[in-house]
Amino acid sequence: MPVFAVDKPLGLTSHDVVSRARRALGTRRVGHTGTLDPLATGVLVLCANDSTKLVQFMERDSKDYLAWISLGAGTPTLDAEGPISERAEATLPDEARVREVLASFLGPQLQ
């Protein structure tokens, strides 16, 4: 029952990775245990053939994220994919304020 831990690169969707695995493994029966968007990099767990029966149990596991932010630029898409449409002088708030805001992102999140 093959299970693969794939290091998903920037720019590919989870579906792109599954499609490549299907071609490489010569099977249509490939699934993943949780979607990573194209801007995310990291481990994408793939199950092939009979191990696809395990996906329903494995996808219930939690995910952890590590994020970087860039201050002083805005895009029409509100993410790093859009062209920069505005720039502003960015000043960093004090560490206590950063920790206060980041605390709201800790724990389970509904997406």
Side-chain angles (χ1 to χ4, degrees):
M1 293 178 68
V3 176
F4 303 93
V6 176
D7 185 8
K8 189 195 86 59
L10 181 71
L12 292 181
T13 65
S14 296
H15 181 74
D16 294 336
V17 175
V18 167
S19 293
R20 289 181 180 193
R22 285 176 174 156
R23 283 192 303 275
L25 297 171
T27 181
R28 296 282 313 146
R29 294 184 62 203
V30 177
H32 61 79
T33 63
T35 301
L36 293 174
D37 71 35
L39 288 178
T41 61
V43 176
L44 182 66
V45 178
L46 301 181
C47 296
N49 297 319
D50 288 342
S51 67
T52 57
K53 297 172 188 169
L54 301 174
V55 169
Q56 63 181 317
F57 305 107
M58 295 171 76
E59 68 186 359
R60 292 182 187 157
D61 202 3
S62 64
K63 294 185 202 178
D64 294 322
Y65 294 92
L66 178 62
W68 286 264
I69 61 169
S70 178
L71 303 174
T75 66
T77 56
L78 303 177
D79 60 25
E81 290 186 309
I84 294 175
S85 58
E86 57 185 286
R87 294 182 185 272
E89 189 66 33
T91 57
L92 291 175
D94 63 54
E95 184 179 340
R97 178 66 179 137
V98 171
R99 288 184 181 280
E100 178 186 328
V101 171
L102 291 178
S104 69
F105 293 100
L106 296 176
Q109 302 289 317
L110 182 62
Q111 293 184 334

